[in-house]
Amino acid sequence: MTNKSPFKLPLNVIVLAAGKGTRMKSPLPKVAHPVAGQPMIQRIVNQAKSIGAHEVRVVVGYGEELVRQLVEPLGGICEKQHQQNGTADAVKAADPSTLSGMVLIVNGDHPLITSDDLVELVKKFEVGNYDVAVVSSKLKNPKSYGRIVRSGGKLHSIVEAKDASHEALKINEVNTGIYVARAEVLSQLLPRIQNHNQQQEYYLTDIIELCKDDGGKVGAIEASPRVCFGVNSQRELAKATQILYKRKALQLLDEGVMVVDPNHTYIEESVQVGEACVIYPGVMIRGACDIGNYCVVESNCVMSNVTLESGVVVKAMSHLEGCVVREKAELGPYARIRPDSDVGPEARIGNFVELKKAKMGKGAKAGHLTYLGDAEIGQNVNIGCGTITCNYAADRKKYKTIIGDDAFVGSDTQFIAPITIGRGAIIGSGSTITKDVPDKALAIARGRQVIRENYKPKSPKQTDKARNSSEMEK
Ligand code: UD1
Ligand code: CA
């Protein structure tokens, strides 16, 4: 048992995820679909782990291999259900007889649940001293959810919509599909569940009546409707994604970030944003991003796995991936910073500049239309417009360009790597630099300009004559 658990008894989690999700109309297993950048199944496994679950068992079936790949690196244990014979059969596949303490059963496709929701439910289960509890929710439109039937205010049973009477269908308290049970009670009762119902499936919901018949204590724990929100279609997937992005945007507003339009900002949960940052509409920030204080990110920038130190400005339409941008650097508009790049403090990267595995020193500048790949650019270097580091050779290997501090590179320069340019060197515009340049030297490598004074171009007639005669000579 991990000691971070907030519960008295050990907690285990079983996630039901064997279904295909036919209504998604997608070859992916339903739980592998991402909501706000993260596959649904990974969200729930991470949450279960984060609240101190001892074991997280995931019941897999359709798309088993893919689900395994998503779940196992997070510490989830996959249990195969060979045929989908219903929710009780699915729980049986997870073999709860080998668990002790409490078992929380959740569906893999309820992405709006939070870790706090789960903690609250399990705590209520402990306080209520239940043997089996179902988590319910009150909905305006209870649709096809199972209905919670009470008698004298107490939980009596759960009736599936397909099996429900006209009267029962009017009930608006529904089964969210989440349950908490004592492990030993669960494993005793599961084998007694029958499939005598409309779908001829083994319904986990029947466990309530069986438990009561045995004199056990059952109850319904009420939760907010978001707990109930399950994804069954692409529309619901998009809705869930929208809700999660908005939730993050509102959270950032509460933390002092200026999110200009929380309805059109796409920041994943994993992203950290410092105080007094400004995020303009249309920005997408993904993965492990860490943004310092006082940064500005203008519209339509996409960033993944990026660290921005404080005071960085990323102007509109820039794309950043796996890089570090140091204090007060300025990028864009239309900058592209690719993995393993490191943009130094107060450096400036302008429009249509691409960096790949490039390190820019403090105060270095590349203002326009430039490619710097496998490069180390020193402090205060000025890279002129249209500069290219030719890093990829005919042998299909990558070579490095090193440019010393304070060097000045004129426009339209190509560096044929591997090459080293000394500190304070000056490269004349239009040069193709093939040899190393020493410190403080001037290098020019371009065709010399030819001037012919009073030059008279030949008339078109003369040119034709000359061409004809030379052809006859052949
Ligand atoms: C179930 C509940 C219903 C509840 C609803 C909440 C039953 C009988 N009904 O209905 O009361 O209101 O959830 O969403 O439990 N699964 C398996 N193996 C199976 C069957 C299902 O792993 O053999 C998984 C599915 O992949 C899914 C979850 O269990 O993640 C729920 O199954 P689903 O068929 O969607 O249940 P509902 O009919 O919606
Ligand atoms: Ca079903």
Side-chain angles (χ1 to χ4, degrees):
M1 186 64 208
T2 46
N3 47 19
K4 63 179 170 176
S5 168
F7 313 115
K8 293 188 196 88
L9 290 170
L11 174 71
N12 298 284
V13 178
I14 296 177
V15 186
L16 306 187
K20 176 176 191 287
T22 315
R23 279 174 288 165
M24 297 302 287
K25 298 191 181 162
S26 152
L28 271 186
K30 177 162 73 177
V31 295
H33 286 77
V35 170
Q38 190 179 36
M40 286 188 267
I41 192 67
Q42 289 193 320
R43 294 185 67 76
I44 189 74
V45 171
N46 279 335
Q47 285 172 344
K49 285 276 170 192
S50 78
I51 64 166
H54 182 55
E55 271 198 36
V56 182
R57 297 187 180 175
V58 179
V59 180
V60 294
Y62 180 82
E64 179 192 353
E65 273 316 304
L66 183 62
V67 180
R68 257 179 209 284
Q69 281 172 33
L70 294 173
V71 156
E72 285 176 350
L74 307 179
I77 300 162
C78 290
E79 306 279 2
K80 178 139 188 180
Q81 184 193 20
H82 293 276
Q83 262 195 329
Q84 279 156 48
N85 292 328
T87 43
D89 182 67
V91 176
K92 227 193 265 175
D95 195 9
S97 69
T98 56
L99 296 173
S100 61
M102 299 178 287
V103 181
L104 168 68
I105 300 168
V106 291
N107 289 348
D109 57 359
H110 285 216
L112 303 187
I113 299 178
T114 65
S115 310
D116 290 346
D117 288 331
L118 296 178
V119 170
E120 200 184 309
L121 299 176
V122 177
K123 280 193 171 159
K124 282 186 177 160
F125 174 83
E126 282 192 323
V127 170
N129 205 18
Y130 298 114
D131 289 301
V132 178
V134 57
V135 178
S136 72
S137 184
K138 286 193 177 125
L139 300 183
K140 278 199 197 98
N141 176 9
K143 296 186 282 193
S144 62
Y145 285 102
R147 303 299 201 270
I148 300 289
V149 181
R150 290 179 181 270
S151 107
K154 288 199 161 169
L155 175 62
H156 174 270
S157 59
I158 305 169
V159 182
E160 287 308 285
K162 282 181 180 135
D163 303 300
S165 65
H166 190 66
E167 271 314 293
L169 283 175
K170 288 183 189 155
I171 299 171
N172 73 340
E173 185 182 9
V174 303
N175 171 17
T176 61
I178 302 173
Y179 313 80
V180 195
R182 288 184 190 279
E184 68 278 6
V185 175
L186 183 63
S187 46
Q188 276 161 25
L189 298 179
L190 274 178
R192 287 164 49 192
I193 292 176
Q194 310 269 317
N195 65 348
H196 305 317
N197 52 54
Q198 214 267 341
Q199 298 192 91
Q200 301 198 323
E201 280 184 5
Y202 296 88
Y203 287 173
L204 184 57
T205 48
D206 289 353
I207 199 170
I208 298 294
E209 274 176 290
L210 286 174
C211 183
K212 255 187 357 169
D213 291 349
D214 271 14
K217 186 171 182 198
V218 298
I221 297 170
E222 200 181 323
S224 97
R226 70 161 173 265
V227 168
C228 215
F229 184 95
V231 168
N232 294 301
S233 63
Q234 297 289 345
R235 280 186 189 220
E236 284 165 352
L237 186 73
K239 177 104 190 273
T241 292
Q242 219 173 27
I243 291 171
L244 286 194
Y245 280 139
K246 174 116 180 227
R247 192 189 278 176
K248 177 72 177 185
L250 295 179
Q251 179 207 325
L252 291 174
L253 284 172
D254 292 342
E255 290 169 10
V257 176
M258 278 174 67
V259 178
V260 174
D261 182 353
N263 288 318
H264 297 96
T265 303
Y266 313 99
I267 303 181
E268 291 179 8
E269 234 173 4
S270 49
V271 173
Q272 307 282 330
V273 185
E275 288 169 0
C277 286
V278 186
I279 311 281
Y280 283 93
V283 166
M284 176 164 248
I285 312 182
R286 324 183 50 184
C289 279
D290 192 352
I291 298 181
N293 300 332
Y294 306 106
C295 291
V296 177
V297 184
E298 291 186 358
S299 284
N300 301 329
C301 289
V302 177
M303 303 201 257
S304 49
N305 306 317
V306 164
T307 300
L308 303 187
E309 289 185 357
S310 291
V312 169
V313 176
V314 185
K315 293 188 180 161
M317 313 288 178
S318 295
H319 191 278
L320 282 68
E321 236 179 313
C323 60
V324 179
V325 182
R326 312 251 167 219
E327 266 189 26
K328 296 186 187 161
E330 226 179 275
L331 312 179
Y334 296 97
R336 177 164 188 215
I337 316 293
R338 291 172 52 199
D340 300 322
S341 293
D342 184 326
V343 178
E346 292 162 47
R348 276 180 41 202
I349 306 291
N351 44 271
F352 306 107
V353 173
E354 175 178 347
L355 262 57
K356 189 223 73 173
K357 265 195 191 171
K359 186 172 163 46
M360 298 280 288
K362 182 175 180 191
K365 295 190 182 92
H368 344 255
L369 299 156
T370 287
Y371 172 66
L372 302 170
D374 300 288
E376 247 176 62
I377 316 288
Q379 296 192 6
N380 299 317
V381 169
N382 187 85
I383 303 280
C385 174
T387 297
I388 299 170
T389 56
C390 305
N391 57 333
Y392 189 46
D395 62 5
R396 292 171 194 260
K397 288 185 184 146
K398 301 275 172 64
Y399 294 97
K400 209 166 170 180
T401 299
I402 298 171
I403 302 180
D405 294 348
D406 305 308
F408 184 96
V409 178
S411 296
D412 189 26
T413 295
Q414 296 124 65
F415 292 105
I416 311 297
I419 198 152
T420 301
I421 310 302
R423 291 161 173 254
I426 297 176
I427 310 294
S429 282
S431 292
T432 299
I433 300 293
T434 53
K435 293 182 202 134
D436 288 355
V437 178
D439 288 358
K440 295 186 180 161
L442 166 70
I444 305 182
R446 63 187 182 215
R448 278 189 182 272
Q449 184 167 323
V450 175
I451 296 197
R452 291 196 187 131
E453 303 267 0
N454 300 319
Y455 177 70
K456 286 201 186 67
K458 286 171 184 156
S459 73
K461 262 186 190 168
Q462 280 175 308
T463 323
D464 279 354
K465 245 188 213 167
R467 195 180 291 140
N468 288 340
S469 65
S470 71
E471 267 169 17
M472 277 188 311
E473 279 159 22
K474 272 185 199 165

